[in-house]
């Protein structure tokens, strides 16, 4: 609703509320699902399949449909850039009604009755005392930090000279690639002989190599596009490599959710998941603040280094597990 105001302070309030909502989205839903899953006595293996379907349908298919609806409302129907936000508010209200009337509440352990500060202290103590949880948090921060930085960098990477590129089509292609990744992850997680701790090492290595591609392509290609022109051959090659990165993102999400359900304790899962997001947000803020100070290739190189570090930490997690 704040998007309807031209006042900066009100818009900033909306972003603060959006930040709170995002923290809830990435912690409360997963915590509720894991608790409810085991409370109903379901098999642990089914949880992996649920995560894979959530990423396939939610992060993939629904994201594509949402993008098309937003484009229809804002451009085709000429309702303006605020109309997709109004539509999203209606969808969220519907989701709230469904959750309120069909989901059972999970209050956690009411006997403990700990204050908010005690919960944060307990979560910090758990992370510090358990190497596997600390490694999991570091791995997640490194990968997500690189992924969110990629979100801001792919447009200038594909149109360095302000070429005319089909943003909507490219976004849909990325989401389709992510769906392919989540489908691969569901097949991997369904096999008891395959462990996420092992194949995620390869996923992080491939991700790092794909984000090095802008440096390599920039070194070995001489074609330069024109402002307002079509995407160059180098840009098309870059798009293909970025799609491979999105496949890795699709594999990452259900796999990391599975690992969190294994290693993060039930009693402090939501708090620990939000702790994991703190370094991610700091990293992205620092990168965006300095985005004009460094060439885009340096930014991609830094993200690639972080992904290689995640691969090393993933190997350490496998040993610790």
């Amino acid at each position: 609703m704040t998007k309807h105001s031209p006042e900066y302070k009100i818009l900033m309030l909306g972003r603060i509320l959006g930040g709170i909502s995002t923290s809830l989205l990435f912690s409360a839903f997963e915590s509720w699902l894991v608790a409810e899953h085991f409370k109903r006595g379901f098999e642990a293996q089914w949880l992996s399949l649920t995560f894979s379907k959530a990423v396939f349908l939610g992060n993939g298919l629904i994201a594509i449909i949402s993008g098309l609806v937003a484009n229809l409302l804002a451009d085709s129907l000429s309702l303006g850039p605020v109309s997709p936000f109004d539509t999203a508010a209606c969808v969220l209200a519907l989701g709230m009604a469904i959750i309120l009337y069909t989901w059972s509440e999970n209050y956690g352990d009411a006997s403990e009755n700990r204050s908010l500060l005690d919960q944060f202290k307990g979560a910090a103590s758990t992370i510090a005392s358990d190497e596997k949880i600390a490694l999991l948090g570091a791995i997640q921060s490194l990968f997500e930090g690189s992924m969110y930085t990629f979100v801001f960098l792919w447009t200038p990477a594909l149109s360095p000279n302000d070429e005319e590129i089909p943003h909507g089509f490219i976004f849909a292609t990325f989401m389709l690639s992510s769906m392919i990744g989540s489908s691969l992850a569901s097949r991997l997680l369904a096999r008891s002989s395959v462990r996420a701790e092992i194949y995620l090492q390869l996923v992080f290595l491939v991700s790092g190599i794909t984000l090095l591609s802008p440096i390599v392509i920039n070194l070995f290609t001489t074609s330069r596009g024109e402002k307002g022109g079509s995407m160059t051959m180098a840009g098309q090659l870059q798009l293909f490599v970025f799609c491979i990165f999105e496949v890795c993102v699709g594999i990452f999400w259900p796999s990391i959710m599975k690992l969190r359900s294994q290693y993060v304790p039930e009693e402090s899962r939501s708090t620990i998941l939000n702790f994991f997001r703190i370094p991610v947000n700091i990293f992205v803020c620092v990168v965006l603040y300095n985005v004009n100070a460094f060439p885009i290739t340096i930014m991609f190189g830094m993200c690639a280094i972080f992904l290689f570090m995640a691969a090393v930490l993933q190997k350490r997690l496998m040993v610790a597990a």
Side-chain angles (χ1 to χ4, degrees):
M1 296 303 294
T2 61
K3 297 291 187 293
H4 288 273
S5 172
E7 294 291 328
Y8 178 80
K9 291 180 180 178
I10 295 177
L11 291 171
M12 181 56 72
L13 173 64
R15 297 309 307 142
I16 293 170
L17 294 172
I20 296 170
S21 302
T22 304
S23 294
L24 290 170
L25 175 67
F26 281 95
S27 58
F29 282 84
E30 183 178 331
S31 298
W32 181 89
L33 171 63
V34 173
E36 190 73 11
H37 184 92
F38 290 113
K39 187 171 77 174
R40 297 191 181 196
F42 295 151
E43 293 182 24
Q45 193 67 22
W46 295 358
L47 201 55
S48 305
L49 301 176
T50 305
F51 287 142
S52 300
K53 289 177 180 178
V55 173
F56 182 86
L57 296 173
N59 291 16
L61 184 62
I62 301 300
I64 294 172
I65 294 172
S66 299
L68 295 174
V69 170
N71 189 72
L72 174 69
L73 293 169
D75 294 336
S76 302
L77 299 179
S78 301
L79 296 177
V82 178
S83 57
F85 291 96
D86 293 336
T87 307
C90 295
V91 176
L92 288 168
L94 176 63
M96 181 177 69
I98 293 171
I99 290 169
L100 282 173
Y101 289 103
T102 63
W103 292 20
S104 60
E105 184 55 275
N106 174 14
Y107 292 100
D109 190 352
S111 63
E112 292 186 9
N113 197 24
R114 296 189 299 172
S115 65
L116 188 62
L117 182 60
D118 289 337
Q119 290 181 48
F120 276 108
K121 286 180 178 178
S125 176
T126 302
I127 294 172
S129 61
D130 192 326
E131 183 189 9
K132 293 190 291 293
I133 297 176
L135 286 169
L136 200 60
I139 291 165
Q140 179 179 322
S141 297
L142 290 168
F143 187 90
E144 287 191 32
S146 301
M147 181 187 69
Y148 289 127
T149 304
F150 168 80
V151 169
F152 292 101
L153 296 181
W154 71 260
T155 299
L158 295 179
S159 56
N161 297 302
D162 292 329
E163 294 92 343
E164 194 70 33
I165 62 173
H167 291 88
F169 174 76
I170 291 172
F171 174 75
T173 306
F174 284 164
M175 292 302 99
L176 182 62
S177 301
S178 180
M179 290 172 66
I180 293 172
S182 63
S183 181
L184 288 171
S186 67
R187 294 176 181 274
L188 291 169
L189 292 169
R191 297 183 178 183
S192 57
S193 59
V194 179
R195 295 182 62 191
E197 291 91 340
I198 297 174
Y199 69 73
L200 274 178
Q201 296 175 54
L202 180 60
V203 169
F204 294 145
L205 287 173
V206 173
S207 301
I209 293 169
T210 59
L211 292 195
L212 282 176
S213 62
I215 303 172
V216 177
I217 291 174
N218 193 53
L219 285 174
F220 292 98
T221 58
T222 56
S223 61
R224 293 289 180 265
E226 299 177 355
K227 185 174 182 179
S230 59
M231 187 186 297
T232 63
M233 183 63 73
Q236 293 172 13
L237 176 61
Q238 187 66 81
L239 175 60
F240 174 74
V241 178
F242 283 168
C243 286
I244 297 175
F245 174 75
E246 286 293 335
V247 172
C248 293
V249 171
I251 297 174
F252 168 79
W253 280 116
S255 303
I256 202 72
M257 289 175 176
K258 175 66 165 60
L259 293 180
R260 289 196 300 238
S261 70
Q262 286 179 215
Y263 299 126
V264 179
E266 173 66 33
E267 61 272 11
S268 53
R269 177 172 281 114
S270 289
T271 313
I272 289 174
L273 294 187
N274 278 303
F275 258 114
F276 288 173
R277 297 195 62 76
I278 293 173
V280 174
N281 292 327
I282 293 174
F283 171 74
V284 175
C285 286
V286 169
V287 168
L288 293 181
Y289 185 76
N290 295 287
V291 72
N292 293 322
F294 301 102
I296 191 172
T297 50
I298 297 295
M299 293 291 195
F300 275 112
M302 184 172 62
C303 290
I305 290 171
F306 287 143
L307 290 169
F308 292 142
M309 289 171 60
V312 173
L313 294 179
Q314 185 66 44
K315 183 172 180 60
R316 174 60 197 163
L317 176 62
M318 183 190 72
V319 174

